[in-house]
Amino acid sequence: MNDTYDVTETLDVTGESCPMPVVKTKSAVDGIDEGDTLEVVATDPGSMSDIDGWAAGTDGVDLLDQIDDGDEFRHYVRKTA
């Protein structure tokens, strides 16, 4: 649970490696409403740069934050359009 962001949905991609965290994040964002926030929980360290790059190049999403918890990486993505 996250108190910083009003998370609408959590996507668990732990144990999956590139490109699946980004592929599943895109699919999950497509399924939420504008203004909703998706929390993505991953174990692939590459997800930090992959999701950042995807969000930077994708209209209609904002990457709010990324948190490196050591063994887990949490990404907060808001759908803006």
Side-chain angles (χ1 to χ4, degrees), residues 10-31:
T10 298
L11 174 65
D12 183 351
V13 291
T14 58
E16 300 196 38
S17 57
C18 184
M20 294 316 295
V22 172
V23 170
K24 290 187 174 184
T25 297
K26 182 199 179 304
S27 180
V29 166
D30 287 346

Side-chain angles (χ1 to χ4, degrees), residues 28-56:
V29 166
D30 287 346
I32 62 175
D33 294 328
E34 183 177 335
D36 286 352
T37 300
L38 175 70
E39 175 186 48
V40 181
V41 182
T43 50
D44 178 8
S47 69
M48 295 295 279
S49 61
D50 293 346
I51 291 177
D52 180 42
W54 167 78

